[in-house]
Amino acid sequence: MSTPIRLRKGLNIKLAGKAEKILLPEVPVSRYGIRFADFPGLNAKLEVKEGTVVSAGSVLFHDKLIPEIKYVSPVSGVVKEIVRGEKRLLLEIVIEQQGSEKVDFGTADPLKLSREEVKGRMMISGMWPVMRQRPYHIVARPAAVPKAIFISAFDTAPLAPDLDFVMVNTQGGHIQTGINALSRLTDGKIHLSFDMDGSRVAEVRNLKGVELHTFTGPHPAGNVGIQIHHIDPVSKGEVVWYIDIQDVVALGRFFNTGFHTRDRIISLAGPGVLHPKYHRTRPGASVSAILKSNLIDQHQRVISGNVLTGKMITADGSLGFYDNMLTVLPEGDYNEFFGWATPGFDKFSYWKTFLSKIIPKKEYVLDTNMHGGHRAFVVTGHYENVLPMDIYPVHLVKAIMAGDIELMENLGIYEVAEEDLALCEYIDPSKIEFQEIIRQGIDLMIKEMN
Amino acid sequence: MNFLLKQIKKVKPHFEKGGRFEKLRSVFDGFETFIFVPEKVTSKGSHIRDYMDMKRTMTVVILALLPALLFGSYNIGLQHTRAFGIEGWSLMQMFWFGFLKILPLIIVSYGVGLGIEFVVAQLRGHEINEGYLVTGMLIPLIMPIDVPLWMVAVSVAFAVIIGKEIFGGTGMNILNPALTARAFLFFSYPGWMTGDSVWIEGLTKGTAVDGFSGATPLALAKLDEFDRMPSVTDMIIGTIPGSVGETSVIAILIGALILIATGVGSWRIMLSMTLGALGMGLLLNISGSSEYSQLPAYYHLIMGGFAFGAVFMATDPVTAAQTNTGKWIYGALTGIMVVIIRVFNPAYPEGTMLAILLMNVFAPLIDHFVVNANINRRLKRVKTT
């Protein structure tokens, strides 16, 4: 193992409601949903109508630009509803679970397949979208050959699941096959990053064909984008791919069994949860069963993902395609009397203007209040403190606001995703929407570069 | 509190679009958000946001200014008694005397400045920017106490409109607004901003007792009358003539500690500006030929507005350099410029204001070079791999 990469910049938000390390079995749910917002930049072409009967692994839609990339149903059943928004924008496909038919794609040893065969199997089976790429933080474009593939084996986001605990409870025998499949996709290395504790799972520790790295430091050290920046950064014209560690297992399982199954372990956490624990479920599954009689009251926000980057869903919404946790926290729609002037004993903050810095508590209940109005950029020198990259976040954001393509490129737009600058957004006293601006910048780059 | 909240919510519709007092929307909004943090929740991006907002940021700066304001009030009284030979005033009497003299300056500064801010916010349909809360306190502290109130009003209007709003308001301005106000008066009404009488309350109209001079240390240094300068202790404590808030190095250092401890003010700028001035002073000590050049370098830190400028003016995040490396360069150059203007410029005894304004103009250029270095690092990566 190489020498640890120590990151000093960042911030661990001490949010209450950490999940207890108890794993609950999967509860059958009848409603599944695939949200199109999980795939930014995707132009989807539907292959099903309301009422179409599907199996687990049946194609629901494909990418209009790259028709080979299929998106499949996670479960067998009937397409109950295709939800559209303004201008008929596709929002979600809702599937009602029925029966247990699944499409058999056939087993194979990826090491005996060519690169194109591995790609072909992954694309036809709907396994391909688990692979994403920098630049742009979108589903990987299969035409490219990435210079490396990255996997983060730890998550530092607020209340994130302990991926080591997740892997301990994940069925063995598949992850090496997954790595083998990845090794066919790149001529470069496969980088796997741990935190200081490494892994308790011998199978993970002793994986063949990967280069191991250790990171220490606060969030966002667990973000794959940060790890890429420090191991092998993306420059103009280069592409790297990355994949969630639980999806490496799913990929291996796919090659070993021939079925598309993305069962995963997620954490249910947050100050709004009565019993924060780990659950078995799968992407797309309705979270209602998990949340049932588990919310402190109804005035809570349910988030698929972590509090910094997740998406707001309803209490019977579905788990996002890439998410490994659910967070529940109180809505903050209250008026606080001279809230900006309080001493702040119980207010967790990045800023040293709150007494919680002097007398810290172990954890804090935070809510969704904005805690202030939108302003122009005023303070300087702090955004850099929560971004462990050699990038000037405010200059990048201003370049995006100005639509200056060349400057965006020069300031590192290829290396970042929204999630990497989420902490800048969190600490900002001017309440500027960093993540939305970054996505706008990426969208602009995609448009300009194609 | 609930009663108050209910009342506010009850009258709120009148101030919204189509309401009777639509034209006062921004004023109402300003007061409402001042009393109650709004109930607005996050709708995109991060679901949680830090409790820190612009109101709290600006409040910290105002807290940091209080020691200078309190000491300044006392010093006004003290200088007045000295000038007119009044004996037997207690400390509280002097403080109260000074406070009543400075209060009109503060009221005029806030009244005019916030009035303009309200109008501009209404015209632009924005929320009211808190930036002026600090500027409005800074302006009285960098004025001579005898300055006529109408001049303060005019300079505030100039600084807010020409110095800030035409650039787009708080966060967009190039020059420090408070110093813009001072520079405006300095060049428009030099008689009221320089000389020996304006620094003492009442001295522009009355006659001082024999032997008293209201000259500041900088003015004396300019005249090469070093033997008449106050002692180092007096200059550090601040019992000397000067602008209201600038005299006491101790009071300003307390403010500096607050700004640095809370992370609101940049220690990099404060330190580098101090080092820049010290370095330039030492260089003059070694090589300079005039008597002024031979003045010990640390005098530059305790004379005139240097300390106040370094802690409260040069550190304005909007007009200073924004990158950390840039802050070192910006601060050091500002410190150097202060000493150069003081020692070599024949017309102006004080260089702090002009040095900071000059470096405000150069700050974006400094940042440009620092950011370009970052860009070049990124481009080089492509070439080596």
Side-chain angles (χ1 to χ4, degrees):
Chain A
M1 194 171 284
S2 51
T3 48
I5 299 171
R6 289 174 204 284
L7 305 179
R8 289 199 174 74
K9 294 173 173 181
L11 177 71
N12 286 331
I13 298 172
K14 294 198 245 172
L15 185 58
K18 200 172 176 53
E20 207 182 333
K21 283 187 185 164
I22 294 174
L23 178 60
L24 300 176
E26 185 170 359
V27 186
V29 294
S30 59
R31 184 190 186 278
Y32 282 75
I34 308 291
R35 270 195 311 278
F36 292 90
D38 286 347
F39 313 102
L42 170 71
N43 196 348
K45 173 82 180 148
L46 289 180
E47 296 195 14
V48 292
K49 289 198 284 268
E50 283 178 12
T52 308
V53 177
V54 292
S55 307
S58 297
V59 179
L60 297 176
F61 58 92
H62 64 256
D63 187 338
K64 246 183 213 168
L65 296 173
I66 313 169
E68 296 81 23
I69 302 182
K70 311 290 186 193
Y71 294 77
V72 304
S73 171
V75 70
S76 86
V78 182
V79 178
K80 196 179 158 202
E81 196 186 355
I82 292 167
V83 188
R84 288 176 186 269
E86 273 174 51
K87 294 182 187 166
R88 292 183 46 78
L89 181 76
L90 285 167
L91 295 182
E92 189 177 16
I93 295 186
V94 181
I95 296 157
E96 190 160 273
Q97 196 269 335
Q98 281 169 17
S100 57
E101 286 79 45
K102 40 191 180 180
V103 182
D104 188 351
F105 296 97
T107 60
D109 179 358
L111 287 177
K112 291 184 182 137
L113 299 175
S114 72
R115 177 170 295 168
E116 291 313 311
E117 281 169 331
V118 171
K119 279 185 192 173
R121 279 176 175 268
M122 286 175 68
M123 285 193 278
I124 197 78
S125 64
M127 288 305 295
W128 185 263
V130 301
M131 191 75 77
R132 288 185 286 178
Q133 68 164 54
R134 292 285 157 95
Y136 310 142
H137 191 52
I138 53 174
V139 171
R141 289 172 174 172
V145 178
K147 68 167 179 170
I149 294 178
F150 289 81
I151 306 158
S152 176
F154 69 109
D155 194 339
T156 47
L159 302 179
D162 178 351
L163 292 187
D164 192 31
F165 175 76
V166 167
M167 292 313 290
V168 166
N169 290 288
T170 298
Q171 192 192 4
H174 295 309
I175 189 165
Q176 183 65 55
T177 315
I179 297 289
N180 291 348
L182 297 179
S183 71
R184 306 300 291 159
L185 299 175
T186 176
D187 299 325
K189 289 174 177 160
I190 299 172
H191 299 282
L192 179 63
S193 301
F194 292 105
D195 58 11
M196 266 322 243
D197 300 333
S199 177
R200 280 184 286 156
V201 185
E203 196 187 4
V204 176
R205 227 169 28 234
N206 302 325
L207 278 173
K208 287 184 195 69
V210 295
E211 186 159 297
L212 301 181
H213 302 271
T214 310
F215 281 83
T216 66
H219 185 61
N223 280 15
V224 74
I226 307 296
Q227 296 165 4
I228 296 169
H229 183 84
H230 289 274
I231 294 170
D232 190 5
V234 187
S235 301
K236 189 184 180 182
E238 295 176 334
V239 180
V240 302
W241 290 353
Y242 45 91
I243 175 170
D244 183 285
I245 190 159
Q246 294 200 68
D247 277 326
V248 179
V249 177
L251 189 60
R253 196 189 302 127
F254 164 71
F255 278 101
N256 286 342
T257 65
F259 296 110
H260 173 112
T261 44
R262 285 180 70 223
D263 309 15
R264 51 172 51 202
I265 295 168
I266 66 162
S267 65
L268 169 66
V273 181
L274 286 173
H275 309 289
K277 290 191 171 94
Y278 286 77
H279 295 260
R280 280 191 200 277
T281 179
R282 63 188 74 194
S286 164
V287 298
S288 57
I290 293 173
L291 295 180
K292 201 177 165 193
S293 60
N294 217 344
L295 299 185
I296 284 179
D297 60 46
Q298 287 312 304
H299 204 56
Q300 306 288 326
R301 178 180 294 194
V302 181
I303 298 160
S304 176
N306 66 62
V307 280
L308 291 173
T309 63
K311 293 197 174 76
M312 196 197 315
I313 58 173
T314 54
D316 64 346
S318 351
L319 180 70
F321 193 84
Y322 299 102
D323 296 330
N324 60 10
M325 71 178 302
L326 287 173
T327 315
V328 182
L329 76 165
E331 283 288 1
D333 52 346
Y334 56 88
N335 293 83
E336 193 185 2
F337 185 66
F338 279 102
W340 54 276
T342 57
F345 281 105
D346 52 0
K347 290 181 171 177
F348 177 83
S349 177
Y350 159 83
W351 295 87
K352 287 179 256 172
T353 66
F354 293 85
L355 288 177
S356 61
K357 275 280 169 208
I358 299 168
I359 315 159
K361 287 202 292 186
K362 230 177 121 198
E363 50 181 39
Y364 297 81
V365 175
L366 304 176
D367 56 55
T368 64
N369 193 287
M370 285 293 284
H371 303 301
H374 180 264
R375 298 287 183 275
F377 278 116
V378 170
V379 299
T380 62
H382 290 277
Y383 305 104
E384 293 83 352
N385 286 346
V386 291
L387 177 66
M389 291 173 129
D390 186 19
I391 279 177
Y392 286 105
V394 176
H395 287 82
L396 177 59
V397 160
K398 285 184 175 172
I400 295 171
M401 287 166 152
D404 187 334
I405 303 281
E406 196 188 341
L407 193 57
M408 284 156 63
E409 195 172 284
N410 285 335
L411 290 173
I413 188 81
Y414 295 131
E415 301 179 49
V416 297
E418 302 93 306
E419 58 181 24
D420 299 329
L421 280 87
L423 279 171
C424 297
E425 182 174 276
Y426 167 73
I427 68 162
D428 187 6
S430 297
K431 314 292 174 189
I432 288 165
E433 307 282 352
F434 275 77
Q435 298 194 79
E436 187 187 32
I437 296 169
I438 292 290
R439 179 45 65 185
Q440 283 166 357
I442 291 174
D443 286 346
L444 185 63
M445 291 309 292
I446 294 176
K447 215 170 106 195
E448 291 290 323
M449 303 314 276
N450 289 302
Chain B
M1 293 325 116
N2 270 337
F3 173 76
L4 187 59
L5 184 61
K6 265 184 206 149
Q7 292 305 310
I8 289 178
K9 294 289 172 204
K10 210 165 108 188
V11 297
K12 191 173 182 175
H14 295 305
F15 291 93
E16 281 167 351
K17 223 172 169 187
R20 256 183 295 171
F21 305 112
E22 191 187 339
K23 291 211 166 74
L24 292 172
R25 182 199 53 78
S26 69
V27 180
F28 180 81
D29 182 73
F31 282 107
E32 187 200 356
T33 57
F34 184 78
I35 301 170
F36 288 102
V37 172
E39 71 274 37
K40 193 164 180 259
V41 294
T42 54
S43 57
K44 49 195 169 190
S46 176
H47 298 270
I48 50 170
R49 301 298 167 100
D50 205 293
Y51 289 96
M52 186 76 163
D53 70 349
M54 218 30 83
K55 289 186 176 60
R56 196 174 180 94
T57 313
M58 298 301 172
T59 310
V60 169
V61 186
I62 293 174
L63 278 180
L65 280 167
L66 281 185
L69 173 69
L70 296 178
F71 186 87
S73 300
Y74 157 73
N75 193 41
I76 293 167
L78 178 74
Q79 297 300 328
H80 181 79
T81 55
R82 283 186 185 170
F84 296 100
I86 304 164
E87 277 171 35
W89 277 17
S90 70
L91 190 146
M92 270 318 287
Q93 257 174 311
M94 292 190 220
F95 169 80
W96 195 238
F97 175 85
F99 185 73
L100 289 182
K101 292 294 170 191
I102 193 175
L103 196 59
L105 287 181
I106 297 175
I107 292 172
V108 168
S109 162
Y110 272 130
V112 175
L114 285 179
I116 297 170
E117 288 276 359
F118 282 152
V119 172
V120 171
Q122 179 73 32
L123 289 176
R124 288 217 180 97
H126 284 181
E127 288 183 38
I128 287 164
N129 277 311
E130 290 83 358
Y132 193 77
L133 294 179
V134 169
T135 310
M137 183 59 86
L138 285 171
I139 288 176
L141 292 181
I142 54 173
M143 292 287 170
I145 188 61
D146 249 11
V147 69
L149 288 178
W150 67 269
M151 282 189 194
V152 178
V154 172
S155 67
V156 164
F158 177 85
V160 174
I161 296 171
I162 307 291
K164 192 163 81 172
E165 295 304 342
I166 59 164
F167 290 102
T170 303
M172 315 287 184
N173 46 309
I174 312 269
L175 297 174
N176 182 311
L179 285 181
T180 309
R182 194 178 199 277
F184 176 78
L185 284 192
F186 184 79
F187 290 110
S188 307
Y189 306 100
W192 288 95
M193 297 296 287
T194 47
D196 293 349
S197 59
V198 293
W199 313 106
I200 314 293
E201 164 9 79
L203 201 58
T204 48
K205 295 176 205 86
T207 321
V209 292
D210 275 354
F212 181 85
S213 159
T216 62
L218 283 169
L220 295 170
K222 198 89 222 168
L223 298 167
D224 285 342
E225 296 182 10
F226 298 102
D227 46 336
R228 284 178 56 205
M229 276 174 71
S231 72
V232 171
T233 323
D234 284 351
M235 287 198 280
I236 289 177
I237 295 172
T239 52
I240 53 167
S243 298
V244 175
E246 72 173 15
T247 60
S248 172
V249 177
I250 291 176
I252 292 164
L253 281 181
I254 296 172
L257 281 180
I258 294 175
L259 290 181
I260 293 171
T262 55
V264 169
S266 167
W267 61 269
R268 289 184 179 85
I269 293 176
M270 297 181 204
L271 181 62
S272 60
M273 187 164 157
T274 308
L275 292 177
L278 266 184
M280 189 66 212
L282 288 173
L283 196 69
L284 288 178
N285 287 168
I286 298 165
S287 61
S289 52
S290 72
E291 219 179 319
Y292 202 165
S293 312
Q294 296 307 319
L295 191 69
Y298 67 86
Y299 266 65
H300 285 291
L301 309 183
I302 56 179
M303 292 192 300
F306 182 89
F308 195 85
V311 173
F312 294 110
M313 295 293 181
T315 52
D316 169 14
V318 175
T319 55
Q322 306 196 346
T323 56
N324 283 344
T325 318
K327 280 173 184 163
W328 286 107
I329 301 167
Y330 160 90
L333 288 177
T334 312
I336 292 169
M337 283 305 299
V338 170
V339 176
I340 289 179
I341 296 174
R342 280 180 178 178
V343 177
F344 294 114
N345 189 301
Y348 312 134
E350 173 59 301
T352 307
M353 172 183 80
L354 295 169
I356 295 174
L357 285 174
L358 183 72
M359 291 315 296
N360 280 173
V361 174
F362 280 103
L365 186 68
I366 296 170
D367 278 336
H368 175 79
F369 284 116
V370 174
V371 172
N372 255 6
N374 174 279
I375 291 172
N376 287 332
R377 274 200 298 279
R378 190 162 289 113
L379 292 176
K380 220 185 239 165
R381 211 163 64 194
V382 184
K383 277 174 202 146
T384 52
T385 49

